[in-house]
Amino acid sequence: MKGEFSFVTVDDSINFDEMSKDINLVPSRVIRKGEMVGYTKQKAPFDVWSFSIKFDKGEDISSTLEQLLQLLISRSEAIKALSKQYKQVRIDLYLRSEYGQLGIEFTKESFDKLAQLGIGMDIHILSFGKAD
């Protein structure tokens, strides 16, 4: 199993340079509204700014989340301001597996940090259907 945790901001219009400066992070990816994205090459309906930390086979998923949360907690005031300014500010978890069965454990401390930041987390599980 592999994937990534991404801190994501979504809105109709994001000032990418200002946001990067305010949060003091270089984005892993920016998507501009109207840009062709994805495998289907559809137009992006919104601007998206994201910072990601990836994990791969053998890495502990919850420790990867903890690493991202520690980074974000030190920027909690800026994140709270972003939450008021933009439509969506959240963490996305993307899990990719060739098999359908998986388990994830999140600690109470991780949920406490999400609450402290005032953001939620979306989980996206992508399975490539090799399970019998």
Side-chain angles (χ1 to χ4, degrees), residues 16 21-22 31 37-38 41 45 47-48 51 60 73 81 89 92 96 98-100 105 123-124 127 132:
F16 295 114
K21 180 182 169 204
D22 289 348
I31 299 171
V37 293
K41 296 295 182 194
D47 280 354
V48 179
F51 175 84
D60 182 37
I73 284 291
V89 177
D92 282 339
R96 293 171 189 86
E98 299 208 4
Y99 302 96
E105 180 181 338
I123 300 173
H124 309 272
S127 179
D132 291 331

Side-chain angles (χ1 to χ4, degrees), residues 117-132:
L117 291 167
I119 61 175
M121 181 169 58
D122 293 352
I123 300 173
H124 309 272
I125 300 172
L126 311 169
S127 179
F128 301 111
K130 291 189 177 179
D132 291 331

Side-chain angles (χ1 to χ4, degrees), residues 16-85:
F16 295 114
D17 293 333
E18 182 179 298
M19 181 170 164
S20 298
K21 180 182 169 204
D22 289 348
I23 200 164
N24 195 24
L25 286 173
V26 175
S28 302
R29 183 173 187 196
V30 296
I31 299 171
R32 288 170 173 72
K33 184 177 180 175
E35 184 177 301
M36 303 300 263
V37 293
Y39 297 112
T40 60
K41 296 295 182 194
Q42 294 179 342
K43 288 185 178 182
F46 303 104
D47 280 354
V48 179
W49 182 105
S50 67
F51 175 84
S52 301
I53 298 179
K54 296 182 181 213
F55 56 87
D56 207 341
K57 295 175 185 174
E59 292 181 71
D60 182 37
I61 295 171
S62 58
S63 65
T64 305
L65 174 59
E66 183 62 27
Q67 180 184 352
L68 178 60
L69 289 172
Q70 282 300 112
L71 187 66
L72 297 178
I73 284 291
S74 66
R75 296 156 168 84
S76 63
E77 293 307 314
I79 290 170
K80 288 175 186 175
L82 292 172
S83 294
K84 291 177 184 173
Q85 182 178 358

